[in-house]
Amino acid sequence: MDLVLEGFDTFLFDPLYATLFPASTAFSAGLKGNATLSSIREAATGYPAATWQYTPASEYLSFTPGKYAYLSELPRDDWRRQLASLFAITWFFGLVIYYVCATLSYVFVFDKATFAHPKYLKHQVRQEIWQTNKSLPGMAVLTAPIFLAEVRGYSKMYDASADGPGMWYNILQFPFFILFTDLFIYWIHRGLHHPLVYKQLHKPHHKWIMPTPYASHAFHPVDGFSQSIPYHAFPFLFPLNKFAYVFLFVFINVWTVLIHDGEYIADSPIINGAACHTMHHLYFNYNYGQFTTLWDRLGGSYRKPNDELFRKELKMCQSEWKKQSQEMEKIVKEVEGEDDRTYEPLEGAAKKVQ
């Protein structure tokens, strides 16, 4: 995240911190006619800002700091400033990725006939968005300290290939990351279904029996953070390229939207796509995996998606919906007891196929 933080510092946070926490002597130097960055640094002697020296986060991409980088009592390497900045970045990125990806998926991919499903909730999209907006700040609070540890050099992330295991690892780090995180997310997700924690932590995400893309990030904050722990743990245990890390951070969030989009394209015995995840929302105790079906198969929790999901003419069939609802209602009683959801399918949203 040091790459991202450097960019935000240069274009946003340097002027902001210089305004909120000014270094007065540095400002005096800056107000003198034609002051240079060098003179500003020298005039700031005795302030924390004078101890900070710019070092690019990457030899391939850098953002040269302007004068504001030297005009604050809180220099860029102050851990308090870094923590606050990383919290804001995490929250901001979460919101941007969520709204952009979920909206694009909702408009262009999501089958609106789902609105007529008997287990579609009253004002569901509004509720999904509200839950996400409530949860993202909490998830950012829990995540920012991990990003801080990364920025301050405690992880195994590297910039150039020469600093890593070798060119071969630049490719293999991607499948390695997927396999590692898929394993641990499976067990964390399965653990969140334990009766001792399910109702307190994971039930808010299972409120959506037939989710829309806006349900993708609609978690309890601790639930959402818990399932992200393997992503954050990986670069502390294994080498990971900085650019690969940023790419994977975006990919994970996009994937989370995709498996909630209700468009059942991947009829694959390997990929844990939207169809598999729909089975999880409908029937609770199956398909805990994030990317693949491997650990569900080994753990005895795999449930093959219904064939009807991949047949357009049967996907929204009333008889199929009735069968889904009846089984789902039995499982809800076992897992939650009384069903406290309020359902309100939209009449006429789907073509009725008997």
Side-chain angles (χ1 to χ4, degrees):
M1 288 296 286
D2 54 356
L3 285 167
V4 178
L5 181 59
E6 182 179 309
F8 269 86
D9 274 337
T10 301
F11 298 108
L12 176 62
F13 291 133
D14 285 341
L16 180 63
Y17 285 109
T19 302
L20 296 177
F21 306 99
S24 56
T25 55
F27 271 115
S28 298
L31 291 172
K32 293 178 180 178
N34 299 319
T36 64
L37 288 179
S38 176
S39 67
I40 292 174
R41 294 191 197 100
E42 292 172 2
T45 302
Y47 290 87
T51 66
W52 173 75
Q53 296 294 325
Y54 171 64
T55 302
S58 170
E59 64 180 75
Y60 304 110
L61 178 65
S62 61
F63 304 93
T64 304
K67 67 176 183 179
Y68 291 107
Y70 306 95
L71 297 180
S72 174
E73 288 282 1
L74 290 176
R76 284 191 180 185
D77 60 355
D78 185 283
W79 71 268
R80 296 163 298 178
R81 167 176 166 164
Q82 290 177 332
L83 183 62
S85 299
L86 289 166
F87 163 75
I89 291 170
T90 305
W91 188 3
F92 172 76
F93 260 112
L95 284 172
V96 169
I97 293 174
Y98 170 70
Y99 277 106
V100 170
C101 295
T103 300
L104 288 173
S105 177
Y106 180 81
V107 172
F108 296 108
V109 180
F110 178 66
D111 192 337
K112 309 304 186 296
T114 303
F115 295 155
H117 194 284
K119 296 305 178 184
Y120 186 80
L121 302 186
K122 183 178 182 179
H123 307 308
Q124 180 169 313
V125 170
R126 187 187 308 173
Q127 292 186 61
E128 291 169 339
I129 293 173
W130 176 244
Q131 179 65 40
T132 302
N133 286 335
K134 287 195 305 179
S135 297
L136 282 177
M139 286 189 268
V141 166
L142 295 169
T143 303
I146 301 177
F147 285 154
L148 178 66
E150 294 169 3
V151 166
R152 298 188 73 83
Y154 293 101
S155 73
K156 297 179 182 293
M157 280 193 282
Y158 64 93
D159 182 35
S161 296
D163 301 324
M167 288 294 295
W168 60 273
Y169 191 78
N170 287 345
I171 303 299
L172 289 183
Q173 63 184 330
F174 292 101
F176 184 25
F177 179 90
I178 294 298
L179 290 173
F180 174 87
T181 55
D182 200 37
L183 165 61
F184 287 99
I185 290 172
Y186 171 81
W187 287 109
I188 291 171
H189 189 180
R190 188 164 184 167
L192 287 164
H193 277 260
H194 192 281
L196 291 177
V197 297
Y198 171 79
K199 289 185 178 180
Q200 289 75 22
L201 297 181
H202 198 49
K203 184 180 177 181
H205 187 63
H206 270 278
K207 183 175 183 179
W208 336 111
I209 304 302
M210 293 300 295
T212 79
Y214 290 108
S216 58
H217 292 65
F219 291 93
H220 184 288
V222 176
D223 179 8
F225 172 73
S226 297
Q227 295 192 61
S228 73
I229 289 175
Y231 305 135
H232 302 303
F234 186 91
F236 288 93
L237 300 173
F238 309 102
L240 185 64
N241 180 269
K242 291 181 179 181
F243 292 94
Y245 183 77
V246 175
F247 169 80
L248 288 166
F249 178 80
V250 175
F251 166 74
I252 290 160
N253 282 275
V254 172
W255 180 264
T256 302
V257 173
L258 293 178
I259 61 176
H260 291 88
D261 66 14
E263 190 60 30
Y264 313 125
I265 298 173
D267 185 7
S268 168
I270 299 173
I271 299 174
N272 186 43
C276 281
H277 201 65
T278 293
M279 292 293 100
H280 179 70
H281 275 267
L282 271 170
Y283 307 127
F284 294 77
N285 299 324
Y286 305 93
N287 300 349
Y288 299 108
Q290 179 76 353
F291 301 112
T292 75
T293 64
L294 173 62
W295 302 109
D296 279 299
R297 291 176 183 278
L298 294 176
S301 55
Y302 175 68
R303 175 163 179 161
K304 186 180 184 299
N306 300 344
D307 293 335
E308 292 82 359
L309 296 181
F310 303 100
R311 299 172 61 183
K312 192 70 175 178
E313 71 278 9
L314 295 178
K315 174 183 173 183
M316 297 299 174
C317 177
Q318 297 293 312
S319 60
E320 175 66 16
W321 284 353
K322 183 177 180 180
K323 183 173 66 175
Q324 291 173 355
S325 299
Q326 289 174 343
E327 183 174 359
M328 168 261 169
E329 289 166 1
K330 292 179 182 178
I331 297 175
V332 165
K333 288 182 180 179
E334 296 173 1
V335 174
E336 299 180 357
E338 183 180 354
D339 188 356
D340 57 3
R341 298 167 182 81
T342 301
Y343 302 103
E344 189 176 278
L346 301 181
E347 295 297 332
K351 178 183 178 182
K352 295 186 177 181
V353 183
Q354 301 300 332

